[in-house]
Amino acid sequence: MVMIRLSPFTPRRILVLATAILTLSAVACFGQPILFPVNSTPYDRQMERIEPILNCSTISNEHQIPLALVDHWIRDLRAIPYRFSVQWKTPFEITREAVADCKGKAIALYQQLQANGAQNVRLVIGKRTPISGVTHTWLEWTTPAATYVLDPTINRSACSIAEIPINSYVPYYAYAGTRKYRVTNPDIFLAGL
């Protein structure tokens, strides 16, 4: 006698398949890296010099900062000659010495944005590309229109996250005022499935 199974899938397989579909659809909804609040990061000791700038309260402004003005600030900072510094330099030191690395240029732009009332600005430490040998520092700024990468070391203007090629600007840690974050990229979740 030949047995014919009416249900080709066991309930367990159906549950696993449903879970996988639900997980993949949920992960695909993540458009941005996920920020996990942390009490400390490996960079905290180095960043003590610039904590007053990070923790400075933003001046409340009713108006939106024009992107053209932000692009002007980025070009001005990009024009400053690059010179690596082990220490994080303050914007005052950059003005006085007229040289800066990515850390100094990013913190100077952070201060400029804060002074003009920008909200939702994050200082990000990560890698420019996954194969970069050293870390890089830039800003991310979320506005009602879009989220922008502000990199006064490399770019001449703000770049919408949508314009950034995949595998560029890989974040590890982010700072927003007194808050610190470890960044988890949703691609890591996808790779594990």
Side-chain angles (χ1 to χ4, degrees):
M1 174 187 275
V2 176
M3 296 286 243
I4 298 174
R5 186 182 243 182
L6 294 176
S7 175
F9 297 106
T10 63
R12 184 168 187 250
R13 284 187 178 176
I14 291 171
L15 181 61
V16 169
L17 179 63
T19 303
I21 290 170
L22 181 62
T23 303
L24 284 173
S25 65
V27 170
C29 294
F30 297 140
Q32 300 292 320
I34 302 165
L35 302 175
F36 289 105
V38 293
N39 292 327
S40 64
T41 76
Y43 297 94
D44 289 351
R45 189 161 167 231
Q46 297 173 24
M47 295 182 70
E48 287 175 352
R49 301 183 84 242
I50 60 156
E51 276 182 7
I53 296 161
L54 287 174
N55 300 338
C56 184
S57 59
T58 304
I59 298 169
S60 179
N61 255 349
E62 299 277 329
H63 71 283
Q64 184 69 6
I65 299 172
L67 202 51
L69 181 58
V70 175
D71 290 344
H72 175 74
W73 296 333
I74 289 171
R75 283 190 299 275
D76 285 351
L77 287 166
R78 190 173 187 276
I80 296 172
Y82 182 91
R83 182 178 300 155
F84 175 76
S85 171
V86 173
Q87 283 188 325
W88 285 75
K89 293 197 177 196
T90 65
F92 175 76
E93 290 170 324
I94 292 167
T95 302
R96 186 182 67 217
E97 297 169 15
V99 295
D101 61 5
C102 62
K103 302 182 302 284
K105 291 180 182 193
I107 198 66
L109 184 57
Y110 188 97
Q111 184 181 49
Q112 188 72 35
L113 286 162
Q114 275 191 318
N116 284 275
Q119 303 289 322
N120 302 314
V121 179
R122 294 169 300 285
L123 179 78
V124 182
I125 300 171
K127 289 198 172 182
R128 177 68 175 83
T129 68
I131 60 171
S132 297
V134 295
T135 57
H136 185 58
T137 306
W138 66 92
L139 302 181
E140 286 186 6
W141 179 38
T142 302
T143 69
T147 297
Y148 297 96
V149 168
L150 310 177
D151 185 351
T153 304
I154 296 173
N155 301 328
R156 288 182 169 80
S157 62
C159 298
S160 165
I161 290 280
E163 299 171 331
I164 301 293
I166 303 279
N167 290 332
S168 291
Y169 294 98
V170 181
Y172 293 155
Y173 296 96
Y175 298 80
T178 59
R179 297 177 312 271
K180 302 171 189 179
Y181 302 94
R182 181 177 53 85
V183 181
T184 300
N185 195 320
D187 294 339
I188 294 169
F189 294 123
L190 287 174
L193 294 176

